[in-house]
Amino acid sequence: LSLKFGDVGNLKGLVIRFLLTTSYYQLSVQNWFSLHKLQLLYNHSIQATFNATRIYAPASYSYHCEHVSSLQRYDALLIPSSANDLSKLWEVTFTDFQIQGFNIQEGHFAYAKDCATFFSPAILMGLVMSLILLLVLAYALHMLIYLKSLDRHYEYKASSAYFAQMKDNDMGDEKEPLRSSGNESDELGNQQFYKIYI
C-alpha cells in the first residue's frame, strides 16, 4: 500500500510504502493482517525502512492508533530495520493513524481495532486513585464504628445501675439532719467515700 503526495512542494518525490501481510490463525479461526514494514522512498530510492511491531487486526477490520511512531515517547511501534541503515536519521510519527489493507467495501474503513491496551497509563492511574479512595473510605468507616463502640462503652459506665450504690448513700446522708446539742456542736453522720474510675 503506497501513499503518494503528488505535486505537494518538496514532497513531490516522497512515497510512504506500507508492506502488509495476511495470516490465518486457527485459534481465532479467521485471517489477520499485520503491517510488516514501512519504507520511505524519495525519487524511487529507499531512504529508510522500519519494522512494525504490534500493528495488526482481523482481516475484516481496520487498525487504528492515536500515534504510530518511531519515537520512544509514543511507544515506538516503528523500529529501524538495521543499525547501519539511514533509518536512524529519520523520525516518523503518524497522528490518528488508521489502516486497512484488505476487504475494503465502498471505500470506507471497517470497524477499527484500537491499539489502546486495557492497562494504558491513564487506566492504571484511574485504578490506583480508585484504590486510594477505597482505602480512605474503609478507614473512615472503621473509625466511625470505633467511635460508636466507645460511646456504648461510656454509656455502660455512666448507667444508673453503675452509680446506684452511691446515689442511695447520698440520699441517706441527706435524710440525716444535723443535730444540735446544748453546747452547739454539730454532728455529721458517717460519710462513705467512693472512687469512680472511668
Side-chain angles (χ1 to χ4, degrees):
L1 180 66
S2 294
L3 177 63
K4 298 180 180 179
F5 292 90
D7 295 330
V8 183
N10 295 331
L11 300 177
K12 184 177 180 180
L14 181 65
V15 176
I16 300 176
R17 182 183 293 167
F18 302 94
L19 302 176
L20 300 159
T21 60
T22 59
S23 300
Y24 179 77
Y25 291 97
Q26 292 182 351
L27 190 62
S28 61
V29 197
Q30 61 180 337
N31 288 317
W32 287 63
F33 81 88
S34 61
L35 178 60
H36 183 59
K37 287 183 184 292
L38 182 140
Q39 293 178 334
L40 300 176
L41 292 85
Y42 192 73
N43 292 333
H44 306 290
S45 173
I46 296 176
Q47 302 294 316
T49 302
F50 295 90
N51 293 326
T53 59
R54 306 194 310 273
I55 301 177
Y56 53 83
S60 57
Y61 287 35
S62 63
Y63 174 87
H64 175 265
C65 197
E66 189 63 31
H67 293 99
V68 171
S69 175
S70 61
L71 302 176
Q72 287 298 328
R73 68 174 176 229
Y74 295 127
D75 202 18
L77 297 175
L78 302 175
I79 300 169
S81 61
S82 173
N84 301 324
D85 196 359
L86 294 175
S87 304
K88 296 186 299 182
L89 305 175
W90 289 76
E91 291 181 355
V92 180
T93 300
F94 296 98
T95 304
D96 197 18
F97 179 82
Q98 189 167 359
I99 191 169
Q100 181 178 353
F102 310 97
N103 301 323
I104 299 170
Q105 297 178 0
E106 300 178 3
H108 297 289
F109 284 118
Y111 177 81
K113 175 190 176 294
D114 205 274
C115 66
T117 60
F118 181 73
F119 290 108
S120 65
I123 292 174
L124 283 175
M125 183 61 72
L127 289 173
V128 169
M129 291 303 296
S130 299
L131 182 61
I132 291 171
L133 289 174
L134 188 63
L135 289 173
V136 169
L137 180 63
Y139 180 73
L141 287 174
H142 169 72
M143 290 305 296
L144 187 62
I145 292 169
Y146 178 70
L147 287 176
K148 284 187 176 180
S149 66
L150 279 179
D151 286 344
R152 285 196 296 271
H153 175 71
Y154 285 119
E155 283 175 9
Y156 170 74
K157 291 288 187 181
S159 66
S160 59
Y162 191 79
F163 292 102
Q165 186 179 6
M166 190 181 117
K167 286 183 180 178
D168 292 342
N169 289 329
D170 287 345
M171 293 299 291
D173 290 342
E174 287 175 6
K175 288 178 183 177
E176 185 179 349
L178 293 174
R179 298 177 184 171
S180 58
S181 61
N183 56 5
E184 297 181 2
S185 62
D186 294 336
E187 228 179 67
L188 290 174
N190 292 334
Q191 294 184 358
Q192 295 180 358
F193 296 94
Y194 295 90
K195 293 183 180 179
I196 300 171
Y197 297 96
I198 297 179

